[in-house]
Amino acid sequence: MGGACMTNTVAIIGANAAGLTTAMELRRLGYDGRVMLFDAEMEPLYNRPAVSKEMLSGEFSDPSDTPLVRADILEKMHLELEFGNRVLGIGTAGRLDLSGGRQVGAEVMVVATGGLARWPAQVPRLQGIHTLRTSRDAMALREALLPGARVVVMGGGVIGCEVASSAVRRGCDTTIVDIAALPMLRSIGEGAGRVMATVIEEAGVKLRLGEGIASVLGPSRISGVVLMSGETLPCDVLVIGVGMVPNAKLANDAGAENDNGILIDAHCRTSLPGVLAVGDVTRRRSTVEGLGDRSETILNAQIQAREAASTILGLELPKAQPSGFWSDQFDINIQAVGKVDRTVSHWLKPFNGQEGVLLQFSENKLCGAVGFNSGRAIARIRRLLSVGDRRPPEELLRDPKLNG
């Protein structure tokens, strides 16, 4: 893909963290061509993590309370904002088909369409059943989280646990049901998962782990859920938090290669000429370890956006960064960096009810960490991962700089 002088118009589809960061990075790198930013939502430029945190708890009343970017900065970027305007198709020769019959052209397109909430086949679409992806979802769920409401959260991943944290804080009788043995197991690993199981239960949330929901009761409004064990839980509100599916229809219809996400290379290029993709909708192509996993985090979206901007301008890719995510729940800030599942763990600082740092090792080399209210320690560990620190566990655990 050529340099900035060969690209007059870039069209970015999706005004989320991935799409907006792509636009901001293009401007930061000196691109002064036309940048169009499309989104079907009327007010899409809000922080998505706040949907399951501050917006759900009531700390923020609407999306304008948590903007992705300040209005003055957005104005200086001179973007063409096409909000409330759905892109219906992307065609050959750089054509975008828009709702209302309009067509626009762009030499380069960036697909940042994110994901859609996964809806299990055994769950009918009854009143009282919610998913959580947008600000509208958050406001509808917030109205349902009344004191005393019997809330069942289907899925004990990061979003499910954040929802449970908000629900129990609002006075709801809250239960998490998950087939996994520990909460957030895929995201934080076994050792940190055991810590969070204790934290969650001490906060008053009931955990039904190693269980799944077999069916839902209620003719028009949910009244209960039947577990795979046969037990019935009364339920006024069911929150489905079992992950997302890539919102890849636009690229799929155009013929992009897809395997549980739009397949992209190291430069965020799809199989379609002139079309890149970034964020939750993507999956890396084959590496020496096979197909890469989809990484549904803000950090990954931002990393890929910077890679895409560099690719569009014909520049060298930014230096690789360790993956990671953060979550605020049950009065604890959780930060994870690097690889944390299927690894050997050692406590750098055992969890004391408030703070703790768990290091993760693979083949006797540091590969990740999980921190509880320990942002400074995680920042230091991120730097070690960035430079490829190869010290064995016993040596790292004695490092005073890491332990301070």
Side-chain angles (χ1 to χ4, degrees):
M1 203 160 287
C5 62
M6 299 177 63
T7 302
N8 296 317
T9 303
V10 177
I12 302 170
I13 307 163
N16 45 37
L20 180 64
T21 303
T22 304
M24 294 177 71
E25 189 70 359
L26 284 168
R27 293 300 193 223
R28 189 187 72 82
L29 293 173
Y31 177 68
D32 60 1
R34 188 183 185 195
V35 178
M36 307 181 74
L37 188 59
F38 295 89
D39 203 284
E41 285 192 61
M42 290 299 298
E43 297 181 17
L45 291 176
Y46 57 88
N47 277 303
R48 304 298 163 127
V51 165
S52 56
K53 302 180 183 72
E54 294 90 348
M55 289 187 65
L56 203 55
S57 68
E59 183 179 342
F60 295 158
S61 59
D62 61 59
S64 64
D65 291 332
T66 176
L68 263 180
V69 61
R70 293 202 325 258
D72 59 321
I73 295 176
L74 183 64
E75 185 177 359
K76 290 177 182 176
M77 287 195 294
H78 301 292
L79 308 179
E80 296 183 33
L81 306 179
E82 295 268 1
F83 297 161
N85 202 345
R86 187 179 298 275
V87 178
L88 302 178
I90 53 178
T92 57
R95 189 192 74 246
L96 288 84
D97 299 321
L98 308 179
S99 55
R102 282 178 57 209
Q103 289 186 342
V104 297
E107 288 88 352
V108 176
M109 303 179 200
V110 181
V111 179
T113 43
L116 304 171
R118 188 184 301 276
W119 193 288
Q122 74 272 28
V123 179
R125 294 183 181 270
L126 305 180
Q127 295 179 50
I129 301 179
H130 298 258
T131 57
L132 192 61
R133 290 293 297 178
T134 68
S135 61
R136 181 176 294 182
D137 295 337
M139 289 186 281
L141 178 55
R142 185 173 67 200
E143 291 181 2
L145 296 182
L146 301 174
R150 299 168 297 181
V151 176
V152 175
V153 181
M154 184 181 189
V158 175
I159 298 299
C161 289
E162 289 177 350
V163 169
S165 176
S166 294
V168 75
R169 181 172 292 182
R170 292 175 71 88
C172 300
D173 179 0
T174 307
T175 302
I176 294 174
V177 178
D178 197 297
I179 200 70
L182 291 165
M184 295 185 286
L185 184 60
R186 178 169 168 253
S187 300
I188 62 176
E190 185 177 344
R194 284 196 295 269
V195 166
M196 285 309 300
T198 300
V199 168
I200 290 168
E201 289 185 318
E202 288 180 349
V205 175
K206 295 181 283 291
L207 287 175
R208 298 298 178 93
L209 301 173
E211 270 280 20
I213 292 178
S215 61
V216 171
L217 304 177
S220 58
R221 172 175 287 279
I222 188 168
S223 61
V225 298
V226 180
L227 303 184
M228 293 170 64
S229 62
E231 180 184 3
T232 297
L233 300 180
C235 177
D236 304 307
V237 179
L238 175 63
V239 185
I240 300 173
V242 291
M244 53 145 277
V245 292
N247 185 14
K249 184 178 186 303
L250 195 64
N252 291 348
D253 290 349
E257 293 181 11
N258 182 299
D259 188 344
N260 191 28
I262 303 170
L263 294 181
I264 58 171
D265 63 12
H267 295 261
C268 298
R269 296 174 296 209
T270 72
S271 59
L272 302 175
V275 179
L276 294 83
V278 293
D280 290 354
V281 74
T282 68
R283 189 179 183 191
R284 292 287 188 187
R285 287 186 179 278
S286 296
T287 65
V288 291
E289 298 178 350
L291 272 175
D293 292 330
R294 275 192 300 108
S295 181
E296 302 160 14
T297 69
I298 292 292
L299 179 60
N300 179 67
Q302 293 168 336
I303 289 172
Q304 289 188 352
R306 295 183 183 108
E307 292 169 345
S310 296
T311 298
I312 292 168
L313 302 182
L315 303 175
E316 184 178 346
L317 290 178
K319 183 180 177 181
Q321 297 182 45
S323 59
F325 82 96
W326 62 273
S327 174
D328 288 326
Q329 52 182 272
F330 302 102
D331 297 320
I332 291 177
N333 173 257
I334 304 168
Q335 293 188 42
V337 60
K339 183 179 179 181
V340 298
D341 62 334
R342 299 183 296 277
T343 58
V344 176
S345 59
H346 296 276
W347 283 102
L348 175 68
K349 182 178 181 180
F351 185 70
N352 61 9
Q354 288 295 320
E355 299 178 346
V357 179
L358 186 62
L359 301 183
Q360 309 285 343
F361 294 86
S362 178
E363 298 181 350
N364 222 34
K365 185 180 76 170
L366 180 70
C367 64
V370 181
F372 302 96
N373 291 331
S374 301
R376 289 184 180 179
I378 293 298
R380 290 193 289 266
I381 293 163
R382 178 179 292 279
R383 288 193 289 270
L384 293 181
L385 291 170
S386 296
V387 299
D389 193 296
R390 303 188 67 86
R391 286 177 289 174
E394 57 272 15
E395 186 176 343
L396 264 178
L397 293 170
R398 292 195 303 266
D399 186 338
K401 293 181 180 179
L402 212 52
N403 244 316

